Amino acid sequence: MSAASAPGSKTPLQYYFLLCSRIASGSAVLVGWLVLAALWLNSITLQKYLSGLAAIPANTALAFILSGTSLWLWETSDLFRNRRGVAWFCGLLVLVVGVVTLSEYLLVWESGIDQILVPVSHITQPRMDINAALNLVFIGTALVLLPWYLGNQVAQFLTLTTIVVTVLSLSAYVSGQASLRAAASGQPMAFLTVLAFIIFGIGLFCEHQNQ
């Protein structure tokens, strides 16, 4: 894994990268569980404060939990090598969620993946924003490729692309264009989702630097 995981061998820069990575993984898991709790409890107030302009789909929340878990496990995989398989599998699931959602947009079909965690009878789930789905494809691929050197170079590019895509979505909120985008596309990326993607992207990039 990384030199940052080996006790006593960390440089100050590696400590910084490790700290950023752990903050990112912990934040992603926290956001995911908060969103799922709001949906399961059918708390309109909590959903409003968590989501901002747009509702956060349950599958987006699950992808954050899987992403954060995968990144956290990769960070400690040198000390606990049996965690590598779980970390890789979590990253693969993130990739699958992103690919399936993208296929819904491209092939104009409904997979039902939006409703797996929260039944339709409980609360109607919006479809994940296409940029969020694209980000999950990039992040899932980056997590799967994390342990391999050549793959790591590709993963760093995908991680930076995720950050760029998300910053563009953030600019829509800053410029006040989010409402117009919602009218055009039907569902914008929630503000909390935007922030979570940026934080996680930075943390994932830092973890790649420790490889």
Side-chain angles (χ1 to χ4, degrees):
M1 173 66 179
S2 62
S5 298
S9 65
K10 305 181 187 69
T11 67
L13 184 59
Q14 287 173 327
Y15 270 116
Y16 171 77
F17 285 149
L18 180 61
L19 177 62
C20 288
S21 180
R22 289 191 172 175
I23 290 174
S25 57
S27 298
V29 172
L30 177 62
V31 168
W33 280 117
L34 283 175
V35 171
L36 287 183
L39 292 172
W40 286 335
L41 296 174
N42 199 17
S43 173
I44 303 301
T45 301
L46 185 55
Q47 291 177 49
K48 177 182 177 181
Y49 283 109
L50 286 175
S51 302
L53 176 65
I56 302 178
N59 54 344
T60 304
L62 176 62
F64 278 139
I65 294 172
L66 292 170
S67 299
T69 301
S70 177
L71 182 56
W72 188 278
L73 291 175
W74 278 128
E75 293 163 4
T76 58
S77 64
D78 269 359
L79 299 177
F80 306 95
R81 293 184 179 274
N82 59 325
R83 296 183 178 183
R84 292 186 176 186
V86 179
W88 185 87
F89 185 68
C90 287
L92 181 62
L93 289 178
V94 174
L95 176 58
V96 169
V97 171
V99 168
V100 170
T101 305
L102 273 182
S103 73
E104 290 181 338
Y105 281 101
L106 297 176
L107 303 178
V108 193
W109 73 297
E110 293 289 341
S111 67
I113 192 173
D114 315 66
Q115 310 295 336
I116 291 177
L117 295 174
V118 181
V120 178
S121 59
H122 177 62
I123 183 172
T124 301
Q125 284 287 289
R127 178 183 290 181
M128 184 190 303
D129 175 74
I130 189 169
N131 285 339
L134 189 62
N135 281 349
L136 291 183
V137 171
F138 293 154
I139 287 174
T141 303
L143 289 168
V144 168
L145 296 177
L146 189 60
W148 295 284
Y149 175 75
L150 292 179
N152 191 29
Q153 309 307 306
V154 176
Q156 288 186 53
F157 172 77
L158 293 177
T159 302
L160 289 175
T161 303
T162 298
I163 297 173
V164 171
V165 169
T166 311
V167 168
L168 291 176
S169 295
L170 179 62
S171 67
Y173 284 95
V174 175
S175 63
Q177 298 299 310
S179 297
L180 295 177
R181 183 167 174 267
S185 65
Q187 182 63 32
M189 194 187 303
F191 184 67
L192 182 61
T193 304
V194 171
L195 293 182
F197 270 128
I198 292 175
I199 293 172
F200 187 82
I202 293 172
L204 182 55
F205 183 79
C206 288
E207 179 63 18
H208 282 299
Q209 304 312 301
N210 271 335
Q211 295 304 302

